[in-house]
Amino acid sequence: MSADMISIGALGVMFVVATVLPINIGILAFIGAFVVGTASLGLSEEEIFEGFPVSLFVTIVGVTYLFSVAQRNGTIDLLVRAGVTLVRGRAALVPWVLFAIAAVLTAFGTFTPAAVALLAPVGMNFAHRFGISQLMVGMMVISGAHAGAFSPIAVSGALVLGMVDQTPLEVAPAALFLASFGFNVLVSLLTFVLLGGPRRGGTTAGGEAEPGGASRLTWRQALTVVALAGLVVGALVFHLEIGFLALLAATALTLVDVKNQAKAVDGISWSTILLVAGMVTYVGILEKAGTVDAVSQGAAGMGAPLFVALLLCFVVAIVSAFASSTAILTAIIPIAVPLLLASHLSAAGLVAALAISTTIVDTSPFSTNGALVLSNARDVDRDRFYRQIVGYTAGLVGAGPVLAWGFLVLPGAV
């Protein structure tokens, strides 16, 4: 059996095992990189670890550490409370406020499941209290988290842009972010309308805000806001390394609040780091084995590039509904590169379409985000609510890739 067949077979086994068993696919990817690299390709340990994403590792550590610090000193909670107080007397605004907060959190580096875990309980409680659709609110929280997830300083955005930077392609960070943001706004608008948002948005109970109310901004929280703003300016204006900036900001904030921030490092998304680092390392093995080139050439030989692009969007949407979207992204971007180099398709358009198709289906109850919404639903028939989430996700799987392809890929090819 050829090396490329062995490597792709091992990748398939990883996805199956990680889907069925509670094992981080990053662990399996590191094992696969070692086994396939040494036994099939005859690589040394140094050659195997050439694919380890050092820059991406620092970025994810930095931004998730900074978010952990901001959460521990109350800055994130203050932002949430300030947002929900805006719905006084206007219950129909609840989903949009939560959408906006989720987008801000992920755009500043919060990993998507962390933002959903923070806002899903708030959103489902509000929806239950005001008599509006919990399905609508839950799905809009997830869409909001996806809307900000591909900013240049977000985990997913840094992942995609970092992988593209290693190729001859050019994708403007703003183009990726705006495409994802705009698409998720559209999805949320359709969700809001189709699930009865405008018709059922009444008033709050006496205009009350969520318990806890707004509180005064402390000097540590103000310093955190300044640090977040400095991160944005440093990364986007001066093009400084995001990971190092985030580590610098988080460490400075820790030094002025050592007692409360002693365990902030526990908030670093180690599982995500393990997943991304393992998968990217294994993708390096796939490239050395010639698997990426073989799959790409096979895809290109199927026919028109436009058709192949649509097919790729469908494939990642279907698989991501049951598996890790981050893992899917790390595997699909290298496969799409040769297709883009050999065609006139827009690199920014296809990369954005693939990113969107991969992430919008994270509403699935089999994903972390969908499971969080399902688990936080209040006074509902769980089986019925589960079926509603599955039906909603099925709609996204069917329509999402077509819309992403139609809006982002097709215009650049005609």
Side-chain angles (χ1 to χ4, degrees):
M1 186 180 293
S2 62
D4 59 336
M5 292 299 294
I6 293 174
S7 61
I8 199 69
L11 180 63
V13 171
M14 290 176 207
F15 275 109
V16 172
V17 173
T19 301
V20 176
L21 300 175
I23 301 177
N24 189 305
I25 195 173
I27 295 175
L28 300 176
F30 276 125
I31 295 172
F34 174 74
V35 173
V36 175
T38 55
S40 180
L41 300 178
L43 301 176
S44 65
E45 285 85 353
E46 290 78 10
E47 290 173 317
I48 291 172
F49 281 108
E50 285 176 357
F52 186 88
V54 178
S55 176
L56 192 58
F57 174 87
V58 174
T59 297
I60 299 177
V61 169
V63 296
T64 56
Y65 182 36
L66 180 57
F67 168 75
S68 178
V69 171
Q71 189 172 37
R72 285 178 174 272
N73 67 19
T75 303
I76 301 301
D77 290 338
L78 191 70
L79 175 63
V80 173
R81 289 199 300 268
V84 297
T85 56
L86 297 177
V87 304
R88 291 183 176 181
R90 299 291 298 276
L93 292 178
V94 172
W96 292 108
V97 170
L98 294 173
F99 175 95
I101 295 174
V104 170
L105 290 179
T106 54
F108 276 91
T110 307
F111 196 50
T112 304
V116 175
L118 181 68
L119 295 176
V122 176
M124 305 307 271
N125 182 57
F126 264 66
H128 177 257
R129 181 189 301 181
F130 302 152
I132 57 181
S133 170
Q134 293 188 58
L135 179 64
M136 174 189 67
V137 173
M139 297 303 101
M140 287 183 65
V141 166
I142 296 175
S143 289
H146 290 154
F150 288 98
S151 83
I153 60 174
V155 174
S156 297
L159 169 64
V160 173
L161 293 172
M163 295 186 72
V164 172
D165 284 345
Q166 298 175 14
T167 73
L169 301 175
E170 291 186 8
V171 174
L176 177 63
F177 172 62
L178 292 176
S180 176
F181 188 89
F183 194 90
N184 280 284
V185 168
L186 174 62
V187 169
S188 290
L189 181 61
L190 292 173
T191 300
F192 185 74
V193 172
L194 295 177
L195 295 182
R199 295 191 298 274
R200 299 195 61 190
T203 60
T204 66
E208 296 177 1
E210 187 73 358
S215 59
R216 225 177 245 188
L217 186 73
T218 68
W219 69 270
R220 289 187 178 90
Q221 293 166 345
L223 189 61
T224 303
V225 173
V226 172
L228 292 172
L231 177 67
V232 174
V233 172
L236 301 184
V237 177
F238 296 102
H239 305 290
L240 300 176
E241 175 60 42
I242 297 170
F244 288 125
L245 286 178
L247 286 172
L248 176 63
T251 302
L253 293 171
T254 299
L255 290 175
V256 298
D257 191 17
V258 175
K259 182 178 180 180
N260 291 328
Q261 299 293 351
K263 294 186 177 181
V265 70
D266 294 342
I268 296 175
S269 186
W270 297 112
S271 62
T272 302
I273 293 168
L274 181 60
L275 184 154
V276 171
M279 282 299 298
V280 173
T281 301
Y282 190 76
V283 167
I285 297 298
L286 292 177
E287 291 175 342
K288 290 180 183 297
T291 307
V292 172
D293 288 339
V295 173
S296 301
Q297 291 170 4
M302 295 177 63
L306 270 176
F307 169 76
V308 176
L310 178 59
L311 180 62
L312 289 178
C313 288
F314 267 115
V315 169
V316 296
I318 294 171
V319 177
S320 186
F322 300 93
S324 166
S325 57
T326 306
I328 300 300
L329 275 176
T330 60
I332 198 63
I333 297 298
I335 291 175
V337 170
L339 174 65
L340 288 168
L341 293 175
S343 69
H344 297 292
L345 298 180
S346 165
L350 180 55
V351 169
L354 290 172
I356 291 168
S357 298
T358 304
T359 54
I360 58 170
V361 297
D362 282 351
T363 55
S364 164
F366 308 110
S367 71
T368 302
N369 294 336
L372 284 168
V373 170
L374 178 61
S375 63
N376 282 284
R378 298 282 303 277
D379 296 332
V380 298
D381 182 330
R382 293 283 172 178
D383 291 337
R384 183 171 179 270
F385 196 67
Y386 169 83
R387 290 193 297 270
Q388 289 176 335
I389 294 178
V390 170
Y392 181 90
T393 303
L396 289 179
V397 170
V402 175
L403 292 175
W405 175 82
F407 286 139
L408 300 170
V409 180
L410 187 59
V414 296

